[in-house]
Amino acid sequence: MTLYNRLIALSMLFLLGSFSSLAQDDEDQTLDTEVVNVVRPYTPSLSDAFKIKQTPEINDSITSQKQDVTYGIYSVPVASTFTPAKGTAVGVEKAERAPLYDNYATLGLGSYTTALAEFYSSWQLSRTDNFGLFLQHNSAQGDIEEIPLDASFLDTDLALSYTSFQRDLGYDINLDVTHQLYNWYGVNPTVSLPQELIESIDPTQTYFSAFLSGGLTLEDSYFKSGRGSIGFLSDKFGSNEIRATLNPQVELPITDYRFLVDVDLDFVSGSFERSYFDDMPIDYGFLNLGLSPALEILTDDLTLYLGAAVYMGQDIENSDTDLFVYPRVRASYRLLDDTVIAYGGIEGDLNQNSYYDLKEENPFVSPTLTIAPTDQVYDAYLGLKGKFGGNLSYNFRGGYSNENNKPLFLANPYKGAGQGFEGYEFGNSFQVVYDNVQTLNFFGELKIALTEQATFGVSGNYYGYDGELTGSNPWNLPEFTAAATVDVQFSEKLFAGASLFFVGERQDVFSDTFTTTLPVVVTLDNYFDANLYATYRINERVSIFARGNNLVGTNYQKWFNFPVQGLQLLAGATYKFNW
């Protein structure tokens, strides 16, 4: 059959199939029931595949046939006397590890017959336990120009510590014993004292104190940590004081937050043999018991501390008990990573004042003080802090506080030029008076890493006061303070630094009970103090140092009628060792 006939036949079959389909659509769509008998299950099979045994022929116009190349090597002898050395492996140079020493001793001598001595030693008793000893002595024997009384001082401190850090707990026990000697040398230069009276005055005051303290921390326990201390202070005039503190902390986990409960127990009791104006003894005793629950919330950008404090303050000598409630709220939020962090808070506290703390701030107080706690109603503050570029950090803060019974130092009145007075009764000591003071404070701080070896920092404080009794000039409180520091490491062996301090004007009172002269308000000039230090490390064990204090050389008055030493120079050496 020809191709033409085949096409005709296929066309006819297609038309007949189409007609049959159309005819069937017009009829009833009901299908008859058919019976299908399955003889056996269907078993599929896969036909074998056969690889085409044919290699394709490559017909590429750029394919070229390799050409046979014939070449030869002609050896030409060369005269040479070079003999290569045998190769050796280059070793990796290890950085030398700086040796560590557990002990050191320092000795320095300077102007005004100044002596400085320090000794520290540490013993590793076991893998977890350590015992340490620290001894420090600082004294000066030289007199100050135009000061008729002895201006020497001495401060010796011995500290012992035992620490243990185990897997589930850690604890430390510390003993600190201090002996101090100061002189009430600040006699008012306008007061004329006979030479024989000056020679009879004993202006020396000595302090002896001992404190035993300890701390405990626990892991996987509701009781997280706690610290406690008990101490004793006495002086040359029979004054004595005992103080005990206990501060446990409980932590209860609540989902993703922490619920903290702080307990504050602070007890102080002491006595002075007499007051400044009569021979009546002074006894005091106070117990502050506080409970401070708080909820701490920590997220990636927010830190929030929501708490309050309830204190019971008891005046034991007068059988008087008061209740105080304080806010304890503080928060910080990262506005821009670590670059800008906003923070703020409002907090209050019942601060226990003590003879020890007051003489640490002003060692020229008389042993005739009135001791009472300070009710810090609130201290509210807002600030910004952060870092720029990793080498500049800043902190700016403004705040307002309200304190009741804030302690202020005030010069004692001059009693006269008669015999029989104690060494602190010539207007050359300080009493403590209390006032209700509101304070506006602005603080700013900048720290700059100039290079990897040099850092610089500067800070300043402005204070605006409103005292109920003292007005805008509470006794001996400056309106402005500032400080600057710089540290430079010139090499691995030499580093040096400088510190500058500025304190604004303060006010005090000169009064005379011997005459009818009315109290006179005096203004203490602001002062500027510049200090330098340098250390040169001769080797890993020995280094030498030099210090210069009060480089401006002025005998400024930190306290009324108490000029400081002028230019002070000190040099010494430090030796590190192991037993």
Side-chain angles (χ1 to χ4, degrees):
M1 182 181 293
T2 65
L3 179 59
Y4 179 77
N5 294 331
R6 291 178 179 177
L7 291 175
I8 294 295
L10 290 173
S11 299
M12 294 297 294
L13 291 173
F14 178 77
L15 291 174
L16 289 175
S18 300
F19 178 78
S20 173
S21 176
L22 292 173
Q24 188 176 4
D25 291 339
D26 295 336
E27 296 176 357
D28 189 5
Q29 297 295 322
T30 303
L31 297 178
D32 296 333
T33 302
E34 297 288 339
V35 177
V36 180
N37 295 322
V38 180
V39 179
R40 65 182 178 86
Y42 172 71
T43 302
S45 61
L46 183 62
S47 176
D48 294 334
F50 299 95
K51 182 179 179 180
I52 301 176
K53 297 179 180 180
Q54 182 178 357
T55 301
E57 180 181 356
I58 299 176
N59 185 11
D60 195 342
S61 61
I62 65 173
T63 301
S64 60
Q65 185 178 3
K66 292 183 179 181
Q67 301 293 327
D68 294 333
V69 179
T70 303
Y71 59 90
I73 298 176
Y74 298 95
S75 300
V76 178
V78 178
S80 176
T81 59
F82 172 74
T83 303
K86 294 182 179 180
T88 57
V90 178
V92 178
E93 184 178 356
K94 296 181 179 180
E96 184 179 357
R97 182 180 179 182
L100 300 177
Y101 298 98
D102 297 330
N103 318 281
Y104 78 86
T106 297
L107 179 63
L109 299 174
S111 57
Y112 294 95
T113 322
T114 300
L116 172 67
E118 290 183 2
F119 175 78
Y120 174 78
S121 185
S122 176
W123 290 270
Q124 192 72 30
L125 303 180
S126 66
R127 186 176 59 87
T128 58
D129 297 356
N130 181 274
F131 177 77
L133 179 150
F134 178 71
L135 177 64
Q136 182 184 49
H137 171 85
N138 188 18
S139 64
Q141 304 299 323
D143 294 332
I144 300 176
E145 293 184 8
E146 301 180 357
I147 297 298
L149 299 179
D150 184 12
S152 62
F153 72 90
L154 177 150
D155 190 342
T156 302
D157 181 68
L158 172 65
L160 305 176
S161 65
Y162 182 89
T163 59
S164 179
F165 296 98
Q166 303 178 20
R167 186 179 65 178
D168 297 328
L169 64 89
Y171 62 89
D172 63 273
I173 303 173
N174 308 279
L175 175 65
D176 192 283
V177 180
T178 303
H179 175 245
Q180 296 171 312
L181 182 149
Y182 292 94
N183 281 289
W184 290 295
Y185 62 88
V187 176
N188 194 308
T190 62
V191 176
S192 178
L193 297 178
Q195 185 61 33
E196 59 273 13
L197 178 60
I198 293 176
E199 294 176 355
S200 67
I201 296 175
D202 180 11
T204 304
Q205 167 68 300
T206 59
Y207 300 105
F208 176 81
S209 62
F211 282 86
L212 180 65
S213 62
L216 174 66
T217 58
L218 296 175
E219 297 293 336
D220 301 328
S221 173
Y222 292 142
F223 176 81
K224 298 301 295 183
S225 63
R227 295 206 65 82
S229 68
I230 183 169
F232 172 78
L233 170 68
S234 65
D235 67 11
K236 177 182 176 180
F237 295 87
S239 310
N240 61 81
E241 180 180 80
I242 295 176
R243 187 174 184 181
T245 64
L246 183 63
N247 306 104
Q249 183 185 74
V250 177
E251 177 182 339
L252 301 175
I254 302 177
T255 62
D256 296 332
Y257 308 134
R258 293 198 310 165
F259 183 73
L260 307 174
V261 179
D262 292 323
V263 179
D264 182 13
L265 187 150
D266 197 333
F267 169 79
V268 64
S269 177
S271 64
F272 299 101
E273 288 193 347
R274 56 176 295 241
S275 70
Y276 191 81
F277 299 99
D278 54 45
D279 293 332
M280 295 295 295
I282 300 175
D283 297 315
Y284 60 93
F286 296 93
L287 173 64
N288 296 344
L289 180 60
L291 188 66
S292 176
L295 182 65
E296 189 176 52
I297 301 174
L298 302 175
T299 64
D300 292 338
D301 296 323
L302 176 66
T303 299
L304 185 60
Y305 184 93
L306 301 174
V310 180
Y311 272 87
M312 181 199 71
Q314 184 177 17
D315 184 348
I316 299 175
E317 291 294 326
N318 298 313
S319 301
D320 185 19
T321 302
D322 293 316
L323 189 66
F324 304 88
V325 180
Y326 301 106
R328 294 273 178 90
V329 178
R330 54 182 180 266
S332 65
Y333 184 76
R334 299 177 185 270
L335 297 175
L336 188 60
D337 295 330
D338 289 335
T339 304
V340 181
I341 301 174
Y343 67 94
I346 178 170
E347 303 180 65
D349 204 353
L350 185 62
N351 297 318
Q352 189 80 280
N353 296 310
S354 66
Y355 184 27
Y356 179 88
D357 292 337
L358 293 172
K359 69 91 178 173
E360 284 291 293
E361 187 175 355
N362 183 351
F364 307 112
V365 293
S366 63
T368 59
L369 303 181
T370 301
I371 305 297
T374 297
D375 173 21
Q376 186 182 49
V377 182
Y378 61 84
D379 179 14
Y381 55 91
L382 287 173
L384 289 175
K385 62 182 179 179
K387 296 180 180 180
F388 286 106
N391 60 349
L392 172 63
S393 61
Y394 66 92
N395 187 7
F396 298 100
R397 182 182 69 240
Y400 188 83
S401 63
N402 183 10
E403 296 173 279
N404 295 330
N405 257 18
K406 182 179 179 66
L408 304 173
F409 296 105
L410 181 65
N412 276 319
Y414 169 67
K415 282 192 172 182
Q419 298 287 339
F421 290 118
E422 299 288 354
Y424 56 84
E425 294 183 303
F426 296 90
N428 55 339
S429 63
F430 294 86
Q431 59 180 308
V432 174
V433 296
Y434 295 87
D435 192 9
N436 300 333
V437 181
Q438 290 80 43
T439 306
L440 177 67
N441 171 233
F442 292 101
F443 167 79
E445 180 183 44
L446 288 175
K447 293 183 179 179
I448 306 173
L450 302 175
T451 64
E452 292 184 357
Q453 291 78 29
T455 59
F456 172 76
V458 61
S459 63
N461 272 290
Y462 167 79
Y463 301 95
Y465 304 103
D466 183 14
E468 184 176 318
L469 301 176
T470 55
S472 60
N473 294 289
W475 311 128
N476 283 292
L477 293 182
E479 186 178 22
F480 184 75
T481 63
T485 60
V486 59
D487 294 288
V488 182
Q489 183 170 350
F490 295 98
S491 64
E492 293 183 357
K493 293 189 175 183
L494 177 63
F495 55 94
S499 59
L500 309 174
F501 301 95
F502 176 84
V503 177
E505 295 180 345
R506 291 92 60 221
Q507 288 192 341
D508 207 319
V509 171
F510 173 71
S511 57
D512 186 352
T513 60
F514 181 68
T515 65
T516 57
T517 304
L518 295 176
V520 177
V521 176
V522 294
T523 300
L524 280 69
D525 294 335
N526 54 43
Y527 64 85
F528 179 78
D529 197 336
N531 309 284
L532 290 175
Y533 79 91
T535 300
Y536 181 77
R537 189 178 63 183
I538 299 175
N539 53 44
E540 290 82 3
R541 290 179 178 269
V542 181
S543 61
I544 57 176
F545 63 90
R547 301 176 187 173
N549 296 329
N550 194 12
L551 298 180
V552 180
T554 58
N555 297 108
Y556 61 83
Q557 295 186 30
K558 183 177 180 180
W559 303 102
F560 180 44
N561 290 330
F562 281 82
V564 301
Q565 296 174 345
L567 175 63
Q568 306 157 36
L569 300 176
L570 178 72
T574 298
Y575 176 71
K576 301 177 183 179
F577 62 96
N578 286 326
W579 294 112

